[in-house]
Amino acid sequence: MNQLFGLCVIPLTLCVVSLLLPKPKLTRLLVSIGHWLQLFVLVNLSAPLLSGAKSELSLGPEFSLDAIGAGFVLLTTFVVACASTHLNYYFAVEKDKSGESGHERLFYFCVNAFLLAMTFIFLCDNLGFLWISLEATTLSSAPLVYFERTKNALEATWKYVIICSVGIAFALLGTVFIYAAGQHGLDRQGSLSISALVSNAHDLDFSLLRLGFIFSVLGYGTKAGIFPLHSWLPDAYSEAPAPASAMLSGAFVNCALYGIFRVSQIMIAAGHATLSSQMLVILGTVTVAAGSFFLIHQHSFKRMWAYSSIENVGLMLIAIGLGSGSLFLLQAINHSVAKVALFLLSGNIVQAFGSKKLSELKGIFKACPIWAFLLVLSSMAVTGMPPFGAFISEMSILTANAQVGNWVCVAVLILSITVAFVAISTHVGRILVGSAKKSFSPSVAANVVPAVLVLSSFVLGVMFRLQSWVVLK
Amino acid sequence: MVLDEYEILALGAAVVAVMMLGMRHLRPALAFYALCTFMIVLETILVSFLQKEVHLFFVAIGILVIKVVGVPLFLNWIMKRIDVRSDSGIMAPPISMHAGIMMLGVSYLLASQLPGMTSDIDGRLAATGAMSLIFTGVLIMLTRKIALSQIIGFLVLENGIYLFALTQAQGMPMIVEMGILLDVLAAVMISGLLLFRIKKSFEHIDVTQLTELRDI
């Protein structure tokens, strides 16, 4: 229990600090330092899990952490820490442009509340708490989307809050069904604890569990942005300030998918792995295909990365469907690292050129070679080109599918990944060339975080051998 | 067939919600929402006596304070501030009310399909009420134009899910129920504050006209 409080101390303090401190400059610095400290605390806590010395860490009643959860909580905190470090630069430029600090206090308060809610998703061992934390992430990130206070931002925020809340209401219904499955099952004891549900999975009433699974997947899937339910996602990602989009895409999406992962664990334990696998693989394949084909006709820089996120959500959903937590984690890490770099870079470029439209961005290579260089590398990383990390995870997903004989899925995936690659390289290529009106010489602060992320994506790609990650037997 | 109080309260809440579908004016709709929620509070207290579950009594008090009194007052205050009185909807209200009545029938058929209804009180009619509330909430969100109606629709939908948990699983653990209640309250506050902003920047709160963001 003490460990649990220890994890909340830094985000809670930062919440208070960001509301009280009068000078935004100091808040920015303190928050970014605080987030790296939080990452350090979490690494310390989860070291025995990652080294394999322990398989589970109990943090008090209804709270526990396993190796996959530890991986995700570290990834989430890392993404938020990177984004908040970059915010130092982003807000400094924004302030020069508009001349006022705007609504930074509320923004920073919400960033910390968002981090806290996301941390709890991975720590709780209870479907009810999982739902509460996921709804809290939506609510705390709504002000992040609305930061720019424009009409478009308002429209995006409204859609975001309403669609996600209704979606997650259905996940609550799914949770109720799973709870009822325990009460109407053999041992007649309802429980929301995930570990208890997994260990008594055979006693659950199957038809109620199946209903619960379907509703939970659709509900949490709305938040993740699976294909027919994704309509809010491109709007929110393109209207939020770039570092906030980076947090949404790099951290928030994983949280929603983690909810699906936990529910599918119960299905697998109950001996119905085929049903959950079929449903998730089909949904995932459709999502990958839709995300890639939407990429072809894009006119907006940030919407393009939003659709690329949808494509990756599909890939992660397939990894969950294959029942492999480590494959899911691997794809999540590779996607988050590359996508956060891309969103931060896009933020810089949009700030410098003053437009989000692809047709109005031209000649980045002439204007600022270093941005062009980083943009090319990170788009390669996100589309899954070797030698970057995403290549290994996408390849593992393909081989794992081939092993279980999902040939249709393999064919669709290869086609969609190729389409996505061609579409993204065409769009990026088009904005790189041409003559620029002016040139920029950005400070080191603008490039350091994206450069580090691109480098880590490269290291991730070189470090692991392919065989060691194919976990499916 | 004789209905007992348990079934009357659940079905009554559903009927009250269906009547909300037929209303053009927002004020009575809010009052009916409060009435619907109040019937659910009574149902909660009844179940807490029948099942001897003390924690449900506290949940009932929480709902009474937040959803019966707090949320309707807050929404009423917003309604006055942004000066919206009625919502004619995409569909004429009487037609959407008939759709609601039809869904009530569909819920009855669906409830009999529900697996595992072996709790000591017959849950079938109560499940009908809960499912009908869920459908009604979705219908309100689909057939209304004004942003405020969408919040009301969401609240009705959430009521349905709560009633379902209460009648089919004797309510969730108290700490979970309280967390859900707080989340709903926060969602209503945030969307309510967004309503002010929408009114200020667009000068209307008609969500069918919020179509600026598209792929093209």
Side-chain angles (χ1 to χ4, degrees):
Chain A
M1 214 56 190
N2 283 333
Q3 284 167 314
L4 200 62
F5 285 123
L7 290 179
C8 307
V9 168
I10 295 179
L12 281 179
T13 328
L14 290 175
C15 274
V16 178
V17 163
S18 47
L19 277 186
L20 292 182
L21 274 187
K23 284 200 175 157
K25 218 170 181 176
L26 192 61
T27 316
R28 288 175 207 157
L29 195 67
L30 278 179
V31 167
S32 46
I33 294 172
H35 286 166
W36 289 107
L37 271 180
Q38 171 82 352
L39 185 64
F40 177 71
V41 172
L42 279 166
V43 168
N44 259 339
L45 178 80
S46 51
L49 291 170
L50 296 177
S51 65
K54 275 187 193 169
S55 69
E56 203 174 298
L57 202 63
S58 178
L59 298 166
E62 313 277 3
F63 289 96
S64 73
L65 190 64
D66 60 359
I68 304 275
F72 272 107
V73 79
L74 290 177
L75 174 65
T76 303
T77 317
F78 176 70
V79 166
V80 174
C82 284
S84 64
T85 311
H86 192 79
L87 276 172
N88 282 310
Y89 165 79
Y90 186 86
F91 276 150
V93 174
E94 197 79 344
K95 198 178 170 185
D96 287 347
K97 244 175 31 182
S98 65
E100 48 153 349
S101 69
H103 318 275
E104 253 190 81
R105 271 190 215 180
L106 181 65
F107 185 88
Y108 270 108
F109 174 78
C110 289
V111 166
N112 288 304
F114 189 38
L115 175 64
L116 195 62
M118 288 198 290
T119 310
F120 266 98
I121 290 170
F122 303 114
L123 298 180
C124 61
D125 180 36
N126 180 310
L127 283 177
F129 293 167
L130 182 75
W131 187 89
I132 294 168
S133 334
L134 266 166
E135 174 71 4
T137 55
T138 314
L139 298 175
S140 56
S141 54
L144 304 187
V145 179
Y146 186 46
F147 176 74
E148 282 173 9
R149 300 292 193 271
T150 57
K151 273 188 172 186
N152 284 351
L154 189 56
E155 187 187 330
T157 315
W158 178 258
K159 282 184 187 167
Y160 174 57
V161 170
I162 288 294
I163 296 179
C164 282
S165 296
V166 172
I168 204 160
F170 283 104
L172 179 62
L173 189 61
T175 308
V176 172
F177 276 127
I178 295 176
Y179 186 58
Q183 290 195 328
H184 294 296
L186 288 179
D187 64 346
R188 306 218 154 267
Q189 276 190 333
S191 169
L192 282 173
S193 154
I194 297 169
S195 50
L197 283 167
V198 166
S199 54
N200 300 325
H202 281 287
D203 295 338
L204 300 175
D205 182 278
F206 173 58
S207 30
L208 280 173
L209 176 64
R210 186 174 52 190
L211 269 177
F213 174 70
I214 293 170
F215 274 104
S216 304
V217 168
L218 291 180
Y220 293 141
T222 311
K223 285 183 71 102
I226 58 175
F227 164 57
L229 311 165
H230 70 281
S231 60
W232 62 271
L233 191 144
D235 296 349
Y237 283 20
S238 72
E239 294 310 317
S245 324
M247 281 186 245
L248 287 177
S249 171
F252 178 72
V253 153
N254 301 340
C255 296
L257 286 167
Y258 190 74
I260 298 181
F261 174 64
R262 295 310 291 265
V263 182
S264 78
Q265 277 182 324
I266 303 173
M267 283 294 278
I268 292 171
H272 298 288
T274 357
L275 175 72
S276 73
S277 158
Q278 267 184 344
M279 187 173 154
L280 293 176
V281 169
I282 291 173
L283 268 178
T285 315
V286 172
T287 307
V288 174
S292 319
F293 283 93
F294 276 121
L295 273 171
I296 300 174
H297 260 289
Q298 277 308 315
H299 302 272
S300 161
F301 199 25
K302 280 167 85 189
R303 284 184 92 88
M304 179 164 85
W305 304 132
Y307 280 108
S308 148
S309 288
I310 294 178
E311 183 210 342
N312 277 284
V313 164
L315 286 170
M316 286 186 253
L317 212 55
I318 294 173
I320 299 172
L322 293 169
S324 163
S326 34
L327 200 52
F328 168 39
L329 176 61
L330 183 66
Q331 172 67 22
I333 291 175
N334 286 316
H335 166 242
S336 298
V337 166
K339 193 51 72 60
V340 170
L342 266 179
F343 266 118
L344 298 181
L345 272 174
S346 321
N348 291 350
I349 293 170
V350 169
Q351 267 184 339
F353 282 78
S355 171
K356 281 180 208 158
K357 283 192 184 144
L358 283 171
S359 54
E360 285 170 26
L361 299 170
K362 246 190 286 177
I364 295 178
F365 190 76
K366 283 243 176 68
C368 182
I370 178 124
W371 282 353
F373 177 66
L374 285 174
L375 188 64
V376 168
L377 286 185
S378 45
S379 346
M380 278 167 73
V382 96
T383 47
M385 287 279 282
F388 292 101
F391 173 69
I392 292 182
S393 52
E394 287 179 10
M395 202 60 203
S396 313
I397 289 174
L398 282 176
T399 45
N401 262 312
Q403 274 176 356
V404 292
N406 290 337
W407 292 108
V408 182
C409 170
V410 173
V412 176
L413 281 189
I414 293 178
L415 179 70
S416 320
I417 291 172
T418 318
V419 167
F421 173 71
V422 173
I424 288 181
S425 10
T426 320
H427 291 310
V428 170
R430 220 181 263 161
I431 60 170
L432 284 180
V433 296
S435 56
K437 284 179 197 137
K438 46 190 173 177
S439 72
F440 310 103
S441 48
S443 62
V444 185
N447 304 325
V448 61
V449 180
V452 167
L453 286 168
V454 170
L455 190 69
S456 19
S457 176
F458 178 72
V459 170
L460 278 171
V462 182
M463 200 165 71
F464 298 116
R465 289 176 55 205
L466 193 57
Q467 291 89 340
S468 62
W469 279 101
V470 179
V471 227
L472 219 76
K473 276 284 160 298
Chain B
M1 192 165 75
V2 181
L3 297 172
D4 56 11
E5 296 87 352
Y6 178 75
E7 290 160 344
I8 288 174
L9 282 172
L11 284 178
V15 171
V16 168
V18 168
M19 286 165 78
M20 284 169 69
L21 270 171
M23 288 175 183
R24 208 175 289 270
H25 292 280
L26 288 168
R27 250 180 105 115
L30 264 183
F32 268 57
Y33 166 72
L35 179 64
C36 164
T37 319
F38 185 64
M39 292 175 98
I40 290 175
V41 169
L42 291 182
E43 177 92 344
T44 312
I45 294 171
L46 187 66
V47 174
S48 103
F49 276 117
L50 287 175
Q51 304 281 325
K52 302 195 173 43
E53 298 254 19
V54 187
H55 82 265
L56 280 178
F57 190 72
F58 294 107
V59 173
I61 293 174
I63 297 177
L64 187 70
V65 172
I66 292 182
K67 286 205 295 195
V68 180
V69 181
V71 166
L73 282 181
F74 176 68
L75 289 180
N76 191 31
W77 175 69
I78 287 182
M79 230 165 63
K80 269 190 193 149
R81 282 287 299 271
I82 56 181
D83 197 29
V84 199
R85 301 256 171 257
S86 65
D87 182 354
S88 52
I90 297 164
M91 238 196 245
I95 296 176
S96 60
M97 188 166 83
H98 282 96
I101 294 169
M102 206 176 74
M103 291 322 281
L104 186 63
V106 172
S107 316
Y108 182 73
L109 293 179
L110 279 179
S112 56
Q113 302 288 314
L114 262 187
M117 284 305 132
T118 47
S119 48
D120 29 342
I121 20 182
D122 182 14
R124 187 166 156 188
L125 283 175
T128 307
M131 269 193 277
S132 163
L133 274 174
I134 294 173
F135 283 127
T136 309
V138 173
L139 270 177
I140 293 179
M141 297 193 80
L142 288 177
T143 58
R144 293 304 160 98
K145 279 206 288 202
I146 285 188
L148 193 76
S149 310
Q150 299 217 314
I151 302 179
I152 298 177
F154 170 70
L155 286 167
V156 172
L157 168 67
E158 199 274 334
N159 262 353
I161 294 170
Y162 171 76
L163 188 62
F164 196 85
L166 177 73
T167 54
Q168 304 309 308
Q170 278 84 55
M172 305 241 250
M174 178 154 124
I175 182 157
V176 174
E177 287 290 8
M178 289 302 176
I180 294 170
L181 208 53
L182 278 182
D183 264 352
V184 169
L185 180 68
V188 171
M189 300 287 257
I190 288 180
S191 37
L193 296 177
L194 279 173
L195 269 185
F196 276 126
R197 301 283 178 169
I198 294 179
K199 176 76 178 176
K200 228 167 125 185
S201 13
F202 289 89
E203 290 171 355
H204 64 75
I205 54 168
D206 183 349
V207 282
T208 54
Q209 289 179 33
L210 291 181
T211 49
E212 187 62 30
L213 296 173
R214 262 171 296 157
D215 271 326
I216 305 151

